[in-house]
């Protein structure tokens, strides 16, 4: 068996109108990166190289992405205007950063005063010095006996 040569097809990378339209269409649908390149009929490395060589390819992606977002936003706003509460909530949350207020309701018959609790806690504090207490059986022991007891 001999060595077989692999066919090599060099593809010319140009930002043709049809190629730019393919990039625009894929970006408008929300595709990104390698998926966008493949959907536009290019290998990922070809797409990256084309964007480096011709900034119009990058512009086609940005314009497609912007138009896709505009279209989806318009649909959501129309739905909200027509009474769709979920669409209105989605707009508030995602476009305006709105979050629903979190409330906690607790019914307690005895009310707690934090100020009063602090005063009661302070009245329980005893001022004084803290000293080390030794067991009674060690009070009268000699230094030798104490060291043996603490050592083990």
């Amino acid at each position: 068996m001999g060595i077989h040569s692999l066919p090599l097809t060099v593809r010319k990378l140009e930002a043709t109108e049809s190629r730019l339209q393919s990039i625009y269409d894929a970006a408008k649908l929300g595709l990104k990166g390698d998926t966008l390149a493949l959907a536009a009929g290019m290998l990922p490395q070809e797409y990256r190289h084309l964007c480096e060589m011709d900034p119009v390819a990058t512009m086609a992606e940005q314009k497609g992405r912007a138009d896709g977002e505009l279209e989806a936003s318009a649909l959501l706003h129309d739905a909200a205007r027509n009474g769709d509460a979920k669409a209105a909530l989605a707009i508030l949350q995602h476009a305006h950063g709105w979050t629903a207020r979190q409330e906690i309701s607790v019914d307690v018959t005895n009310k707690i005063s934090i100020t009063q609790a602090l005063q009661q806690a302070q009245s329980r504090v005893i001022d004084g010095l803290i000293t080390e207490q030794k067991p009674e059986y060690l009070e009268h022991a000699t230094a030798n006996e104490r060291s043996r007891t603490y050592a083990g």
Side-chain angles (χ1 to χ4, degrees), residues 22-41:
S22 297
I23 292 169
Y24 170 87
D25 292 341
K28 187 174 180 183
L29 293 174
L31 301 180
K32 298 176 184 171
D34 292 353
T35 308
L36 184 147
L38 293 168

Side-chain angles (χ1 to χ4, degrees), residues 19-120:
R19 182 153 295 184
L20 292 173
Q21 187 65 46
S22 297
I23 292 169
Y24 170 87
D25 292 341
K28 187 174 180 183
L29 293 174
L31 301 180
K32 298 176 184 171
D34 292 353
T35 308
L36 184 147
L38 293 168
M42 291 178 278
L43 295 173
Q45 56 271 32
E46 289 175 327
Y47 178 66
R48 287 190 289 274
H49 187 65
L50 179 63
C51 287
E52 287 174 12
M53 288 178 22
D54 197 339
V56 175
T58 303
M59 181 57 105
E61 179 183 351
Q62 291 171 341
K63 178 70 171 133
R65 202 170 304 291
D67 287 352
E69 187 176 334
L70 175 66
E71 190 175 301
S73 179
L75 288 171
L76 265 180
H77 280 83
D78 287 344
R81 277 188 217 95
N82 291 325
D84 187 336
K86 286 185 178 183
L89 185 59
I91 292 168
L92 284 174
Q93 290 174 330
H94 299 289
H96 301 288
W98 182 83
T99 56
R101 183 174 40 186
Q102 300 291 323
E103 290 187 27
I104 299 174
S105 176
V106 179
D107 292 332
V108 179
T109 53
N110 295 332
K111 293 188 178 186
I112 299 171
S113 164
I114 293 187
T115 309
Q116 183 181 7
L118 279 172
Q119 289 171 348
Q120 289 175 353

